[in-house]
Amino acid sequence: MLNMLSSSINITMAIVWIIVIAVSIIIEEQTAQLVSIWFGVAAIGGIICVLAGVDIIIQIVVFAALSLILIFLSRPLAKKMMQNTEIKTNADRLIGMKGRLTKAITEDEKGEIKIDYQRWTAVSVDNKPINENELVVVKEIQGNKLVVDLIEEIKIK
């Protein structure tokens, strides 16, 4: 009778660990935050404990210990992944390029610059006016606008 009860508990715990694995995978797939997957991996330790016939308390301790170890080991990797929030685009190559304004920048209106055969809306660095046909350099990109600064031309006599 006791052996039968123990067998029933082991089957139940195996089902519990399988559910933990499934739920962890589903949560990880939905969030992609590299946290819940470690609970699924730790639940495999719980299944191994069930197969070895280990007591429920020890199964839970093994699960908790593996979860903590895996989270702390993966923390530097997750932290590194989260630091890179800048999304690079092919427009980044425009930074540092020079061009002439095709439409003046005033305090009230954005100007226009043509670079690489494409027209871009332009604003000045300090919101200062820049005349049409002036030589400018692209300092940064803000949304779909290029932030430009006037290049002072040196006149040689």
Side-chain angles (χ1 to χ4, degrees):
M1 179 80 166
L2 188 60
N3 195 17
M4 196 169 167
L5 181 62
S6 174
S7 176
S8 174
I9 290 173
N10 281 344
I11 291 171
T12 302
M13 285 309 295
I15 292 171
V16 167
W17 295 125
I18 290 170
I19 290 171
V20 169
I21 291 170
V23 169
S24 297
I25 290 171
I26 290 169
I27 291 172
E28 186 65 35
E29 190 269 327
Q30 294 296 318
T31 61
Q33 294 295 316
L34 199 62
V35 174
S36 61
I37 192 69
W38 302 126
F39 296 118
V41 173
I44 293 172
I47 290 176
I48 292 170
C49 288
V50 167
L51 295 174
V54 177
D55 189 45
I56 294 175
I57 301 297
I58 295 174
Q59 291 176 32
I60 294 170
V61 168
V62 166
F63 170 75
L66 283 174
S67 295
L68 288 173
I69 289 168
L70 291 169
I71 287 171
F72 284 118
L73 288 176
S74 68
R75 182 167 163 69
L77 174 65
K79 195 173 181 181
K80 185 177 178 181
M81 287 172 51
M82 295 302 171
Q83 284 178 346
N84 189 11
T85 56
E86 184 178 330
I87 300 172
K88 293 280 188 185
T89 65
N90 61 354
D92 292 331
R93 67 185 173 74
L94 296 174
I95 296 173
M97 292 182 97
K98 297 175 182 117
R100 292 206 182 267
L101 287 180
T102 56
K103 179 183 172 190
I105 298 173
T106 65
E107 291 179 10
D108 300 329
E109 288 190 40
K110 300 173 180 114
E112 186 178 86
I113 185 172
K114 187 174 182 182
I115 296 180
D116 271 356
Y117 307 104
Q118 291 183 340
R119 294 190 185 275
W120 292 84
T121 303
V123 294
S124 65
V125 172
D126 298 325
N127 203 25
K128 59 185 176 192
I130 302 176
N131 295 327
E132 182 178 338
N133 210 26
E134 291 282 352
L135 189 61
V136 294
V137 63
V138 178
K139 293 292 187 176
E140 64 179 294
I141 300 172
Q142 290 180 350
N144 63 349
K145 298 179 296 291
L146 300 181
V147 179
V148 299
D149 198 10
L150 184 63
I151 297 176
E152 298 293 328
E153 294 184 47
I154 301 172
K155 297 192 186 222
I156 302 174
K157 293 182 181 180

